[in-house]
Amino acid sequence: MPYAHITGWGKCIPPASISNDEISEIVDTTDEWITTRTGIKSRRVSHVSTAELATVAAKHALACAGIDAKDIDLVILATCTPSTVVANTASQVQKNIGATGAAAMDTNAACSGFLYALQAATAQIQAGMIKKAVVIAAERMTWYVNWARRDSAVLFGDGAGAVVLEAAETPAGLLGTKTGCDSEDRDILHITNFGSDLNKYEPIGPSDLLFEGREIFKRAVKGMSEACDDVLEQANLSLDDINVLVPHQANLRIIQAIQHRLKVPDEKVMVNIADYGNTSAATIAIALCEAVEQGLIKPHSNIMSAAFGAGLTWAASYIKW
Ligand code: ACO
């Protein structure tokens, strides 16, 4: 059975940022509150669409892999902020990058989306159905943000990351994974007044991103830690074998609590939430790229990654770089 090596990676970080002090001029909050509760110092706000963010990240990843877009068999885009729903956003990216021979599909598992998409593309390569894929996670979360609500306005940001997968014979890439969804409590994190559930013949109120922060916090820590334990057991590894932990970046205190539970030292954890906030599916894709840039991830590094998000979806993955 072939493996799906990660041969290229790239990101798109929107140039415009909003600092905590600037947000404090819009809503009733402070840099001190945001920093101590979340670890976020600023977030990026995109002036272009999710498809454009995804396109830039994918082009960087293809250039890094040194392959022609025409050789790609699958473009898979993880997003909960699609530019368009019909046609799907991945088709726009396929067109923009010139991957004319590729299938194109969107996946939505919110913050867990990148790991879900990585699993789906890897499975197709392992099954021999395809040979090369671009897995992208791109989000324009600020498009959902109600800037009058201080609870959500401070948390989210925009950005994209991508990896190229290629079939190869030696064991590397995604080597262990577990995904799941605690759907009975899906309402504790949702967007109101959005989607085809609505009666289109009645007036639709403004949509809002609503969540029960404390409950999500607890579930995220438990869900991500337990999923990591399961994947390690499945792969017959211990945390000592892991070189880098790349967690979803929703709150620095969530990351620290997972670190504490798993007993992972600071120097093994990739954290960039201070600069970007929560970019949903894109956090792990961007963090992987930056961990490589910073030398934290090296060739053959063993990486554990975990995510938790709306759905309530969760995922953990063991990746050999
Ligand atoms: N500035 C100042 N005060 C605020 C702000 C703000 N931006 N936001 C909320 N508050 C107030 C609340 O109104 C509340 O006031 P009250 O006590 O008078 O009612 C008080 O701060 C405490 O609110 P809590 O919700 O208890 O604060 P908490 O310490 O739990 O931090 C946070 C809130 C940051 C949202 C945290 O719960 C969290 O990170 N949760 C998980 C992340 C999350 O839900 N993300 C959504 C996406 S899902 C995901 O990515 C996993």
Side-chain angles (χ1 to χ4, degrees):
M1 183 176 71
Y3 294 92
H5 284 196
I6 295 174
T7 57
W9 46 90
K11 63 179 180 177
C12 178
I13 305 296
S17 63
I18 301 186
S19 69
N20 289 350
D21 285 336
E22 286 166 325
I23 265 204
S24 310
E25 292 169 16
I26 308 170
V27 286
D28 180 18
T29 190
T30 60
D31 172 50
E32 201 263 335
W33 192 96
I34 303 168
T35 306
T36 54
R37 300 290 179 120
T38 72
I40 300 167
K41 296 299 282 184
S42 80
R43 67 286 297 143
R44 300 301 175 108
V45 180
S46 177
H47 62 289
V48 298
S49 69
T50 296
E52 296 296 336
L53 295 170
T55 298
V56 174
K59 283 185 174 174
H60 282 300
L62 286 167
C64 177
I67 61 170
D68 193 326
K70 291 192 176 54
D71 295 332
I72 293 292
D73 304 307
L74 171 68
V75 174
I76 182 166
L77 172 64
T79 187
C80 63
T81 53
S83 298
T84 50
V85 179
V86 181
N88 68 11
T89 305
S91 62
Q92 180 68 53
V93 180
Q94 190 252 33
K95 182 179 172 196
N96 292 349
I97 64 176
T100 45
M105 70 171 172
D106 295 357
T107 64
N108 177 1
C111 303
S112 309
F114 178 71
L115 296 183
Y116 268 60
L118 189 66
Q119 182 191 50
T122 299
Q124 289 197 30
I125 289 175
Q126 289 183 328
M129 293 188 282
I130 62 170
K131 290 203 168 0
K132 293 181 169 68
V134 188
V135 180
I136 312 161
E139 300 281 18
R140 197 176 182 192
M141 292 303 291
T142 60
W143 191 82
Y144 284 144
V145 164
N146 173 350
W147 294 105
R149 287 188 69 102
R150 65 179 180 177
D151 57 349
S152 55
V154 302
L155 292 182
F156 297 99
D158 305 333
V163 294
V164 171
L165 302 184
E166 293 187 65
E169 292 307 315
T170 51
L174 182 67
L175 297 181
T177 186
K178 188 158 183 193
T179 49
C181 178
D182 303 331
S183 58
E184 72 279 7
D185 293 312
R186 63 196 287 275
D187 288 343
I188 68 172
L189 172 53
H190 71 287
I191 289 178
T192 59
N193 292 323
F194 199 85
S196 61
D197 265 1
L198 298 170
N199 182 340
K200 70 176 182 175
Y201 302 107
E202 285 179 1
I204 298 170
S207 65
D208 234 331
L209 205 173
L210 301 183
F211 56 91
E212 294 176 28
R214 284 192 184 181
E215 193 55 34
I216 293 166
F217 189 110
K218 282 188 279 181
R219 285 163 181 262
V221 172
K222 187 168 180 290
M224 287 196 267
S225 309
E226 288 179 358
C228 285
D229 284 338
D230 287 349
V231 170
L232 284 170
E233 193 182 326
Q234 194 185 78
N236 202 19
L237 293 171
S238 83
L239 268 161
D240 291 340
D241 301 313
I242 298 299
N243 306 109
V244 190
L245 176 67
V246 182
H248 169 51
Q249 315 274 317
N251 183 318
L252 180 61
R253 292 185 299 133
I254 293 179
I255 296 171
Q256 289 168 338
I258 293 167
Q259 230 186 296
H260 183 72
R261 273 178 83 132
L262 297 177
K263 300 190 179 57
V264 183
D266 285 353
E267 61 274 15
K268 282 190 174 184
V269 186
M270 178 62 207
V271 181
N272 61 5
I273 189 169
D275 297 331
Y276 307 132
N278 183 348
T279 58
S280 189
T283 73
I284 290 175
I286 294 170
L288 281 173
C289 289
E290 298 199 339
V292 177
E293 287 163 14
Q294 293 168 18
L296 195 58
I297 293 177
K298 301 182 177 66
H300 314 298
S301 284
N302 285 325
I303 302 156
M304 179 58 67
S305 187
F308 186 93
L312 301 165
T313 62
W314 50 264
S317 300
Y318 160 51
I319 300 163
K320 185 175 271 297
W321 202 252

